[in-house]
Amino acid sequence: MPRLTESEQQEIIRYIEADKPLPEKYRFLLFEDKREVELVWNGKTNEVCNIVLPFQTIEHVDEPRAESSEQLGLFDERGRQRKGWTNKLIWGDNKLILSSLKNGPLREEIEAQDGLKLIYIDPPFDVGADFSMDIEIGGETLTKNPNILEEIAYRDTWGKGADSFIAMIYERLILMRDLMAIDGSIYAHCDWRVSGFLRLVLDEVFGSDNFHNEIIWQRSSSGKTISRNLSRDTDTIFWYSKSDKYIVNSVFKPLSPTTKAMYTRNDEDGRGNYRLYPLQKTASPGPETTYDYIDNNGKTWKCPKKGWRMKYEKLKTLENENRLYLEGNTLQEKAYWNERENEGKLANNLWDDIPNLQGTTAEILDYPTQKPEALLERIIEASSNEGDLVADFFCGSGTTAAVAEKLGRKWIVTDLGKFAIHTTRKRLIGVQRELKKEGEDYRAFEILNLGKYERQHYVGVNPNLRELEQQQQLEEKEKTFIDLILRAYSAEKAEGFASFPGKKAGRLIAIGPVNLPVTRLFIEEIILECRRHQVTRVDVLGFEFEMGLFPNVLQEAKDKGIDLAPKYIPAEVFDKRAVEQNQVVFHDVAFIEVKTHTTNGKNDRPATVTVELTDFSVFYSQDSISGAEQTLKNKSSKIVVEKGQVVKVSKDSEGVVTKDILTKEWTDWIDYWSVDFEFESKREIIRVQDTDTEAWKEQWTGEYVFENEWQSFRTKKDRSLELKSIAHECKPGSRKIAVKVVDIFGNDTMTIVEVNI
């Protein structure tokens, strides 16, 4: 550091005493900052989130469908993965996820896989494009609006202009960099709106020396004219590495049909196709031998597999003598040469051979920001090897995870949108089924979130405090929290009750805790106080409800003359603007009905249980019929959701309104359902840090992991849904079966039934 003059020292003291920021020159004088170029934006800070929240395991998927006793070597006889890395699909704010991955116990698991070798990100730039979903129902298309939690994330985190986007991506890129292996790479995908900003941020985080390519992906060649502009048919993908040691593999653009034809000739006897390769030197091999040779591009070709023998025939000269025809002796060998031929030429940084998804392409999932698998295949093959760990922290429809699974990579993917998580879950189960059918290996994956712990963060409870301090802070926040919920519910305070802080329209209101689900004990306390004060109507508001709590507890209360109405507290209660504008909707709990069919084991036949889905009730609302009637113009229509019914509201040329209910059957609401035939067999274990020793220790949360053993779901191609599971073999005795249903909006509901076999 250069020596400061006495006047400079005195000036610094004056600024500090006046509690004013130092002039910009002192940053360079004090810290010898030699950077010639620096990116500066409003609110720039070097502070990076370091909070650690424990992950909650929602679901575990080992085998795609328990229909066969045949298992691959990675799995045991029940279809459970024996050991090794479990892939991770995580729901939540990726800043909190990244911070918890970096600073929490999962870091050890990531390091055990040699760190993240590759990260691909496609950050959202437009909330409508990334969180709004089109859903087909009743021959119509319903647009699912973003929930307010998603809107908050966009609007308040990176939707306020360029500086908010830069601040959002800057902090997350630093966290990603710190999770990357020393030889890891990151590919950042963007379009014309933020490409300039993103390049500068990447330079600052990773260093310009670690920049490798600006890849131009020509996603279309539409040539569509835009008023006063040229058509925008390309996206940009920036490739950076963490250090000067990074993985790089050759990737190829497939040969065009015309080029392929030049390399294929039919022999005179019509026995099949020979492959024609130009040689740099002549060779005279024997009729049955193997050898290496070099083509005109300087590439050495080898015999495809040790022990294989190729038949070479020097045929008549076509253009010159330095050409060789070769033919595989077996179908395997012919397939090999076809594959080598299709590698084509080495890819450059202009990717004009991968069209965007359109029309009836098989992989289209109707997810608005979905990218082609071929694009991710090229990226993953270029910068990772089989068995490496790759990640995508804005995963959308799950393309990165799907391609990684097919290419034998391990993966972590995350997203804020619940619909994105559900779409990815279905897609990965489909990949598992495909790999299983082909006899290929696949890995188990688990669905995680920060759940109730994330809510503690929003409300302001620090989970890293000692237990007593955390409880004191929670109690201090409780009053503020209750006032917030009552205001969002348009209720008033109630006095003289232990369990009921509010009332509304002749009903008392009970509010579940901030950091726990509403439990049976909580409900029992409500029932006791209702009986003491002769209360007969209560709304029970909670973020989560203990699994298996309903409908039995409702019937128990009804038998005692008490009408309990459970309702979910939506995350948008934490948005002051949504509360002020009366936009917060508390939804009734969805309701599942199932039947179980059992057979007893006889004549050496095992006992079985089959689960049948018999009813599903939903109470979701989006917009309203009356609102549509008032705002619709003549000769127009709008689809709304009101109290669990999807309705098309239309207004004809004379202003006459008609309403057509699109959800004709209860099954129309179901997109997916799955069964755990032996619930409570796997405890949910989290690792928490001891506040005294700072060591990580395992702790049972008191809950169980849903182990997905059988499922049926709708796809774009097949809209049918099975309502009966397989007959699952099981041992005699009592067991609990869990059934999970996911509706067309991606919201899940679960029920538990007990059976005796």
Side-chain angles (χ1 to χ4, degrees):
M1 183 179 74
R3 184 177 179 83
L4 297 173
T5 66
E6 186 173 341
S7 63
E8 288 171 337
Q9 294 176 24
Q10 292 299 321
E11 186 179 18
I12 289 174
I13 292 172
R14 288 196 299 272
Y15 274 101
I16 293 174
E17 288 177 342
D19 196 24
K20 293 182 178 179
L22 295 178
E24 190 72 12
K25 69 176 182 178
Y26 285 111
R27 179 155 59 92
F28 299 92
L29 290 173
L30 290 171
F31 303 106
E32 290 190 308
D33 195 332
K34 300 295 185 183
R35 286 177 292 181
E36 295 180 3
V37 178
E38 181 184 5
L39 182 62
V40 180
W41 62 88
N42 184 27
K44 183 176 182 179
T45 175
N46 291 324
E47 293 181 6
V48 177
C49 180
N50 62 2
I51 192 168
V52 179
L53 303 175
F55 290 100
Q56 178 182 13
T57 305
I58 301 172
E59 187 172 330
H60 200 93
V61 185
D62 283 283
E63 187 190 17
R65 273 174 74 115
E67 294 181 313
S68 169
S69 59
E70 297 179 6
Q71 303 296 329
L72 299 176
L74 192 60
F75 298 88
D76 64 19
E77 67 280 354
R78 194 187 164 202
R80 299 292 180 263
Q81 184 170 309
R82 289 191 177 101
K83 59 183 179 179
W85 170 265
T86 300
N87 291 323
K88 305 187 188 309
L89 171 59
I90 309 175
W91 173 42
D93 183 335
N94 58 15
K95 182 174 79 170
L96 297 177
I97 291 170
L98 282 162
S99 177
S100 299
L101 287 174
K102 175 190 170 184
N103 302 297
L106 268 179
R107 178 67 177 266
E108 294 178 12
E109 290 188 44
I110 293 172
E111 296 297 336
Q113 306 303 317
D114 294 327
L116 294 178
K117 299 291 189 179
L118 170 65
I119 297 174
Y120 167 84
I121 58 170
D122 183 11
F125 314 113
D126 174 43
V127 66
D130 289 277
F131 294 122
S132 297
M133 305 298 158
D134 287 339
I135 299 164
E136 293 182 15
I137 186 164
E140 300 286 346
T141 299
L142 164 66
T143 299
K144 170 196 169 293
N145 293 335
N147 64 45
I148 293 185
L149 178 61
E150 293 164 341
E151 286 189 357
I152 291 171
Y154 174 80
R155 183 176 61 202
D156 293 352
T157 307
W158 64 85
K160 291 182 175 178
D163 55 352
S164 69
F165 172 81
I166 294 170
M168 178 279 294
I169 202 67
Y170 178 72
E171 184 174 11
R172 285 160 174 79
L173 285 172
I174 290 174
L175 290 166
M176 291 179 206
R177 180 198 63 197
D178 293 346
L179 278 169
M180 285 168 59
I182 192 66
D183 56 350
S185 292
I186 183 169
Y187 286 72
H189 192 140
C190 60
D191 67 7
W192 57 274
R193 285 172 286 188
V194 295
S195 59
F197 299 131
L198 187 57
R199 171 70 186 272
L200 293 172
V201 175
L202 287 162
D203 271 348
E204 180 147 329
V205 174
F206 290 93
S208 57
D209 290 344
N210 292 321
F211 167 73
H212 300 293
N213 277 112
E214 178 181 357
I215 298 165
I216 304 300
W217 173 44
Q218 184 175 323
R219 48 186 165 73
S220 71
S221 55
S222 62
K224 292 180 180 177
T225 57
I226 301 175
S227 177
R228 301 174 64 83
N229 282 296
L230 301 176
S231 63
R232 300 185 179 111
D233 291 340
T234 64
D235 281 359
T236 301
I237 304 171
F238 295 112
W239 172 22
Y240 284 75
S241 63
K242 186 172 182 176
S243 71
D244 59 355
K245 299 177 181 179
Y246 56 95
I247 299 169
V248 56
N249 300 315
S250 297
V251 290
F252 297 86
K253 288 184 177 181
L255 296 175
S256 68
T258 303
T259 306
K260 283 183 183 179
M262 293 173 59
Y263 284 85
T264 304
R265 297 290 188 274
N266 288 320
D267 70 333
E268 293 178 354
D269 299 331
R271 289 175 297 170
N273 289 335
Y274 287 84
R275 304 296 176 242
L276 175 64
Y277 293 93
L279 301 182
Q280 286 183 331
K281 57 183 179 181
T282 59
S284 301
E288 296 287 339
T289 187
T290 61
Y291 78 123
D292 298 343
Y293 67 97
I294 302 173
D295 65 19
N296 282 346
N297 294 321
K299 183 173 181 178
T300 300
W301 293 77
K302 295 182 178 294
C303 189
K305 213 169 190 179
K306 187 176 181 181
W308 284 10
R309 301 183 66 82
M310 300 294 291
K311 180 181 178 183
Y312 294 81
E313 295 185 59
K314 190 75 175 289
L315 300 181
K316 65 180 181 179
T317 301
L318 294 180
E319 289 94 4
N320 57 61
E321 294 183 356
N322 294 331
R323 289 185 179 273
L324 184 74
Y325 288 94
L326 48 85
E327 179 189 37
N329 288 338
T330 68
L331 291 176
Q332 278 185 309
E333 292 167 350
K334 284 186 177 181
Y336 173 84
W337 287 112
N338 276 320
E339 178 183 343
R340 298 295 293 185
E341 177 184 300
N342 288 337
E343 281 187 343
K345 63 179 182 179
L346 284 170
N348 55 19
N349 72 322
L350 174 59
W351 293 0
D352 55 359
D353 59 312
I354 303 174
N356 204 1
L357 300 173
Q358 56 186 334
T360 58
T361 305
E363 65 184 83
I364 288 181
L365 300 174
D366 287 336
Y367 197 93
T369 57
Q370 182 183 353
K371 300 300 185 291
E373 289 192 4
L375 182 69
L376 271 299
E377 183 177 330
R378 183 168 294 173
I379 291 170
I380 291 172
E381 287 185 333
S383 292
S384 72
N385 297 313
E386 192 167 342
D388 284 347
L389 182 58
V390 303
D392 183 347
F393 297 102
F394 301 89
C395 77
S397 62
T399 304
T400 301
V403 175
E405 186 72 44
K406 292 177 182 179
L407 295 178
R409 273 65 166 175
K410 302 162 189 170
W411 49 266
I412 300 173
V413 297
T414 79
D415 204 279
L416 176 65
K418 185 182 284 187
F419 195 87
I421 297 298
H422 175 53
T423 301
T424 301
R425 168 173 46 196
K426 290 202 304 181
R427 186 171 189 175
L428 265 296
I429 289 174
V431 171
Q432 284 185 328
R433 290 181 181 180
E434 180 183 329
L435 293 173
K436 179 182 178 182
K437 184 178 179 180
E438 295 173 355
E440 300 289 340
D441 286 340
Y442 54 86
R443 286 191 170 271
F445 70 93
E446 55 189 353
I447 303 173
L448 310 171
N449 73 358
L450 300 176
K452 54 198 177 193
Y453 310 105
E454 202 168 16
R455 285 196 301 275
Q456 285 183 334
H457 175 71
Y458 289 142
V459 177
V461 177
N462 184 352
N464 296 322
L465 292 175
R466 295 175 186 271
E467 187 174 348
L468 179 60
E469 294 172 324
Q470 191 175 132
Q471 184 60 37
Q472 290 172 344
Q473 191 178 52
L474 185 60
E475 289 173 359
E476 292 172 2
K477 297 285 183 179
E478 189 71 17
K479 291 182 180 179
T480 304
F481 167 70
I482 288 174
D483 289 343
L484 174 69
I485 301 302
L486 292 178
R487 189 162 62 252
Y489 197 56
S490 301
E492 57 184 306
K493 290 184 178 179
E495 304 291 341
F497 299 102
S499 304
F500 311 122
K503 59 184 178 180
K504 177 182 178 181
R507 301 180 69 92
L508 289 177
I509 298 166
I511 301 174
V514 180
N515 60 334
L516 292 170
V518 172
T519 63
R520 176 171 291 277
L521 179 61
F522 185 88
I523 296 293
E524 287 174 353
E525 291 175 352
I526 290 173
I527 292 174
L528 284 174
E529 186 159 9
C530 283
R531 299 192 74 181
R532 280 199 304 270
H533 295 280
Q534 297 182 337
V535 173
T536 59
R537 296 190 296 172
V538 177
D539 290 346
V540 183
L541 312 181
F543 286 107
E544 290 179 6
F545 294 90
E546 186 180 76
M547 291 183 291
L549 190 61
F550 308 119
N552 296 341
V553 73
L554 298 182
Q555 186 60 48
E556 180 183 334
K558 188 175 181 180
D559 292 342
K560 296 175 181 177
I562 303 167
D563 174 20
L564 289 183
K567 296 177 183 290
Y568 280 108
I569 302 173
E572 47 265 40
V573 295
F574 300 119
D575 180 5
K576 291 181 180 179
R577 284 169 291 185
V579 173
E580 291 168 358
Q581 296 173 18
N582 199 28
Q583 294 178 335
V584 183
V585 179
F586 291 69
H587 301 299
D588 291 336
V589 175
F591 180 76
I592 305 171
E593 277 190 4
V594 298
K595 286 183 181 178
T596 56
H597 307 277
T598 61
T599 62
N600 296 323
K602 293 180 180 178
N603 301 325
D604 295 329
R605 293 183 179 179
T608 66
V609 59
T610 302
V611 178
E612 181 182 4
L613 192 59
T614 58
D615 197 9
F616 181 60
S617 301
V618 179
F619 306 97
Y620 185 82
S621 294
Q622 177 179 291
D623 301 322
S624 67
I625 295 173
S626 60
E629 290 176 344
Q630 294 172 9
T631 57
L632 274 178
K633 296 180 180 180
N634 289 355
K635 296 194 294 183
S636 64
S637 64
K638 183 177 183 179
I639 299 176
V640 302
V641 186
E642 187 171 276
K643 297 179 180 178
Q645 283 191 327
V646 181
V647 181
K648 182 179 181 180
V649 183
S650 305
K651 187 177 287 188
D652 65 15
S653 58
E654 297 180 358
V656 177
V657 174
T658 57
K659 290 166 278 188
D660 182 21
I661 298 175
L662 303 180
T663 42
K664 306 292 185 183
E665 305 288 342
W666 59 268
T667 53
D668 292 337
W669 267 104
I670 300 175
D671 186 63
Y672 167 106
W673 72 289
S674 55
V675 182
D676 182 347
F677 291 100
E678 195 174 342
F679 190 62
E680 296 189 358
S681 63
K682 183 174 183 177
R683 291 182 172 186
E684 183 192 27
I685 305 295
I686 61 173
R687 295 180 70 191
V688 295
Q689 195 168 27
D690 188 287
T691 53
D692 295 321
T693 65
E694 295 188 354
W696 295 101
K697 61 181 181 180
E698 290 189 342
Q699 177 179 303
W700 180 36
T701 64
E703 299 181 7
Y704 298 90
V705 177
F706 180 90
E707 297 195 86
N708 190 321
E709 297 184 275
W710 181 93
Q711 66 289 129
S712 177
F713 53 85
R714 305 183 197 274
T715 65
K716 181 176 175 60
K717 283 187 174 182
D718 185 1
R719 304 303 298 164
S720 64
L721 192 74
E722 299 168 76
L723 297 180
K724 266 190 181 182
S725 76
I726 57 156
H728 180 76
E729 297 180 5
C730 53
K731 296 177 181 178
S734 177
R735 65 172 56 214
K736 288 184 178 179
I737 296 175
V739 177
K740 179 179 289 187
V741 176
V742 181
D743 66 32
I744 57 177
F745 283 174
N747 302 309
D748 55 46
T749 306
M750 196 168 86
T751 191
I752 299 170
V753 294
E754 192 164 347
V755 296
N756 289 296
I757 301 172

